[in-house]
Amino acid sequence: MGAKSLPQTPTQGVDGQLTDRALRALLKHHESTSSDKELLGNDLDVQVQFSLARIPGNASPKPVRIDIPHPLVKVAASAPTDGDGDAMEEDDDDNLDSVEACIIVKEESKPWVQELIARFPAQLGCIKKVLGLQSLRTKHKSFTQRRELLERFNVFFADDRILPMLTKALGGKFFDKK
């Protein structure tokens, strides 16, 4: 009996050239199968799904931050600057959607978060509402009120201390949607 060797796992991450070739092939296939007479145009949404070769040993239910080099939404109203403080011209910002965010925190943290947003409006200007958990439970009791809250904001942020309590306060459908 010979010893089994485990497959080598990449240590550098995803090969950029391979990804580029795959995306070009996908777009070429899309162009060949789509017709020019479409009513709503030829817009294409691209979705990327990552999977793991092995399941990590210490799984955590908390989300993990992944830094991406290009934004998906327009967060700040101010123009980005280079290292010298001069404003850079950026054409890609016109294609991005502006975002309105709501942050849900504990009631005792609400004044502190509002002060932080007021102090840094360029970085945190997308946060339009700070909602306490208790006020969420009282003001948004009914399904229609929660649906209006869901439609009013693009993104919701929550304090991880109250995250387990939000499922009961907002409902499972709220989490499925946002």
Side-chain angles (χ1 to χ4, degrees), residues 87-99:
M88 294 185 331
E89 302 241 350
E90 187 138 343
D91 298 337
D92 295 338
D93 272 357
D94 296 337
N95 297 333
L96 300 176
D97 295 332
S98 61
V99 66

Side-chain angles (χ1 to χ4, degrees), residues 41 55 78 91 162 164:
I55 299 174
S78 64
D91 298 337
I162 62 166

Side-chain angles (χ1 to χ4, degrees), residues 156-178:
F156 289 88
F157 298 107
D159 188 351
D160 60 349
R161 297 176 293 176
I162 62 166
L163 197 56
M165 296 175 259
L166 284 181
T167 308
K168 184 176 180 185
L170 293 172
K173 297 291 182 184
F174 194 94
F175 278 89
D176 292 342
K177 180 79 175 168
K178 295 286 180 172

Side-chain angles (χ1 to χ4, degrees), residues 47-109:
Q47 296 180 2
V48 178
Q49 181 178 356
F50 294 98
S51 62
L52 300 174
R54 288 185 235 158
I55 299 174
N58 53 352
S60 173
K62 289 189 177 183
V64 177
R65 180 184 171 122
I66 300 174
D67 291 327
I68 55 174
H70 306 288
L72 299 174
V73 293
K74 189 186 305 185
V75 176
S78 64
T81 60
D82 58 8
D84 299 332
D86 299 329
M88 294 185 331
E89 302 241 350
E90 187 138 343
D91 298 337
D92 295 338
D93 272 357
D94 296 337
N95 297 333
L96 300 176
D97 295 332
S98 61
V99 66
E100 291 191 1
C102 174
I103 184 166
I104 305 169
V105 296
K106 291 178 94 174
E107 287 294 332
E108 56 266 13
S109 301

Side-chain angles (χ1 to χ4, degrees), residues 33-52:
T33 58
S34 64
S35 66
D36 293 335
K37 297 180 181 180
E38 292 182 8
L39 178 64
L40 298 176
N42 195 7
D43 290 340
L44 175 66
D45 290 335
V46 176
Q47 296 180 2
V48 178
Q49 181 178 356
F50 294 98
S51 62
L52 300 174

